[in-house]
Amino acid sequence: LLSGAHIPLSGRNPMLQEALGIRPHVLVLNKTDLADPCRQPVSAGAGLARGRAVVTALLCVSLQIVPLVAKLVGNSPRYHRAESTEYSILVIGVPNVGKSSLINSLRRLHLKKGKATTVGGEPGITKAVLTRIQVCEKPLMYLVDTPGVLPPKLGDMETGMKLALCGAIRDHLVGEDIMADYLLYALNQRQQFGYVQRYGLAEACDDIEPVLKHVALTQGRTQKVKVLTGTGNVNMTMLNYPAAAYKFLRDFRAGHLGRVTLD
């Protein structure tokens, strides 16, 4: 259980809390295996009208979430006014945080059935609110998958960059080169220098160009281009800096640059 003071801010929609009101809800923090262990949320007292579960893997989520949701909904006065005893739950969050993966995990664990909703490693896979998906028999529980939602206006530029680095915003909307530059700044600021060894740099660097150069060299990110000369066109092999920036971002998201918490 978490206290509000320890919940990361960049991924929280400030309008969502107001919309939820006192409705019982469960906050799942995913991918904590990629977070800095020294900066992860710590245990604290429970809220009066909300349940918040922190997990380290989807399997752990799946084991906890059904009894927790059943308890929260069962204690709600609105539930006792309904004739139906089934549970209908909306899954909501920023893009690309694993909402569909969570639903599929619950189905596999409790119903022994395959995935019911498409998943992917980029935002925008779920494009519409889906019909109810059964994830448990006892108690009878349905989940509704939704497209990722973000506030209509982000509070500041740095919040937007953090969300982009985590894959909540499509890379091309921000620019891989800009994101790579901010990522290097963020890593250096937190003294996370795993990129130095991974890409064969002599030391930490605050200039993105030499970093991308080493990424391109060590990862084989090159491209063939035609150069017009006095004797005609000549094919040359050059370093592909956009591909290197994309690889830099992918390595960060996969945890290859160390366990980093941006908030």
Side-chain angles (χ1 to χ4, degrees), residues 23-75:
R23 296 178 182 87
H25 60 278
V26 178
L27 173 66
V28 177
L29 301 184
N30 194 17
K31 302 181 181 179
T32 57
D33 57 313
L34 299 178
D36 185 345
C38 297
R39 303 184 66 185
Q40 289 191 37
V42 297
S43 299
L48 293 177
R50 57 190 182 273
R52 289 171 172 169
V54 181
V55 294
T56 58
L58 277 179
L59 178 59
C60 186
V61 175
S62 304
L63 288 171
Q64 296 183 44
I65 204 167
V66 168
L68 178 57
V69 167
K71 179 181 178 180
L72 287 172
V73 178
N75 291 337

Side-chain angles (χ1 to χ4, degrees), residues 4 7 12 28 34 41 63 74 91 120 128 135 159 186 201:
I7 300 173
R12 302 301 307 277
V28 177
L34 299 178
L63 288 171
V91 182
V135 295
T159 296
L201 278 76

